[in-house]
Amino acid sequence: MNHVTPPPPLPVRGAYRMSLTLGEHSVRHLRFILRAYLGSWGMGELRDCAELALTELVTNVVRHVPDRRCELLILRRPRSLRVEVADTCPLLPRQGSGEELAEGGRGLLIVAAVTDRWGYEPRADGSGKTAWFECDAKESGQLGPPGATRSV
């Protein structure tokens, strides 16, 4: 069961969940999976922002979580997409300053810039956290016809 999202008040129209241990090249594979689901759900207009935000959250796991284990959840909602990355590190992410010469710390600034909502929450038992973002569909007609909705 996901540690952040309770049973949604709105109907979930599709979902993908995977538990994995990440490697250096995992980001491109997860972006491919996200792209495939967005395409099948008729939400292709969210591809660029969602892929970039997913890249930042997964890269944080690779760089900052000692065992590199995480759980990825992709949820399609009627007019939005929610992505969660839960990991086993209790340290909460820190948003960098975005200083021009800084070597890092821009990831969460990028997530904030390309998504409609984002955040993170520690697990109640202190064993990790979940970082998440949401992207809203820009036009209702871009989600495809009602009959095209499919559950995964």
Side-chain angles (χ1 to χ4, degrees):
M1 184 73 193
N2 186 277
H3 302 286
V4 172
T5 303
L10 298 173
V12 172
R13 304 212 175 188
Y16 173 83
R17 181 186 310 269
M18 175 184 235
S19 295
L20 62 156
T21 301
L22 299 172
E24 295 293 329
H25 302 290
S26 298
V27 172
R28 76 173 164 201
H29 301 292
L30 294 176
R31 287 170 43 145
F32 177 81
I33 290 168
L34 177 62
R35 188 177 320 123
Y37 275 89
L38 289 173
S40 72
W41 293 337
M43 301 175 83
E45 82 277 7
L46 301 179
R47 187 179 110 194
D48 292 339
C49 63
E51 281 189 40
L52 184 54
L54 175 66
T55 297
E56 295 301 330
L57 296 186
V58 170
T59 299
N60 283 345
V61 173
V62 171
R63 290 187 179 160
H64 303 294
V65 177
D67 66 6
R68 292 186 175 183
R69 290 188 313 190
C70 75
E71 183 174 317
L72 171 67
L73 175 65
I74 303 170
L75 291 173
R76 179 189 180 188
R77 297 213 169 141
R79 298 281 173 240
S80 66
L81 170 76
R82 180 175 175 106
V83 175
E84 297 181 3
V85 178
D87 65 53
T88 58
C89 182
L91 297 175
L92 298 178
R94 292 187 324 227
Q95 190 167 335
S97 64
E99 292 182 25
E100 191 173 319
L101 299 177
E103 290 186 25
R106 291 186 187 88
L108 294 178
L109 293 171
I110 292 170
V111 172
V114 300
T115 63
D116 292 296
R117 288 166 301 286
W118 73 277
Y120 54 86
E121 300 197 21
R123 290 184 184 162
D125 65 3
S127 66
K129 66 188 165 299
T130 300
W132 58 271
F133 67 85
E134 294 179 348
C135 297
D136 295 334
K138 305 307 179 214
E139 295 181 29
S140 60
Q142 292 182 326
L143 291 178
T149 301
R150 97 175 195 202
S151 223
V152 178

